[in-house]
Each structure stands twice: as C-alpha cells, then as structure tokens.
Amino acid sequence: KRVKFGFVDTIQESDLVDLYDIDGVPTIFFFIEGDGYEMEYPDNPNILSGYSEQYVVEYLEGFFRRER
C-alpha cells in the first residue's frame, strides 16, 4: 500500500478539529476511499512526537491485514 502524509494546522483549521472531534495533538487520521480512521495513540509514546515511525508502520500494516 502507498500512504501519503499531510499536516493540518489545528489553530488555523478549527473546523476540521471540530469535524473530527480532535481533543489533542498529535493526532493521526488516515483515509481510505473517503472513510476516516483515527490511529490509536501508542501505550508507550515516542518522546518527541508520540508516534514512532515503527509504530505507524506496524499499526497500518495491522489495520490493512484486519480490514482489507
């Protein structure tokens, strides 16, 4: 699977914050065919970003194995 990442300024885009009920940052959402999914925050977060690259890769691989 191919994944694209983007950044949303939650101060500037408060409508998106409300639409997706974002209650903190960082928050990762991913979209498949128009459906949005929020990535679970890790139990042992990365000290800099919360989400380590390994966590994101493993989470998405697991998601695609379960859902697709």
Side-chain angles (χ1 to χ4, degrees), residues 6-7 10-11 13 18-19 29 36-37 44-45 53 55 64-65:
F7 170 81
T10 56
I11 302 298
E13 302 296 339
D18 293 340
L19 179 65
F29 272 87
Y37 303 89
N44 298 309
E53 180 179 350
Y55 177 82
F64 286 113
R65 274 195 302 273

Side-chain angles (χ1 to χ4, degrees), residues 27-66:
T27 298
I28 295 178
F29 272 87
F30 57 100
F31 297 85
I32 302 168
E33 298 174 1
D35 294 325
Y37 303 89
E38 183 175 357
M39 184 176 292
E40 295 175 22
Y41 197 73
D43 291 333
N44 298 309
N46 176 287
I47 194 164
L48 295 176
S49 68
Y51 302 89
S52 69
E53 180 179 350
Q54 179 180 350
Y55 177 82
V56 171
V57 168
E58 289 174 0
Y59 187 93
L60 291 173
E61 285 175 344
F63 178 86
F64 286 113
R65 274 195 302 273
R66 288 188 309 272

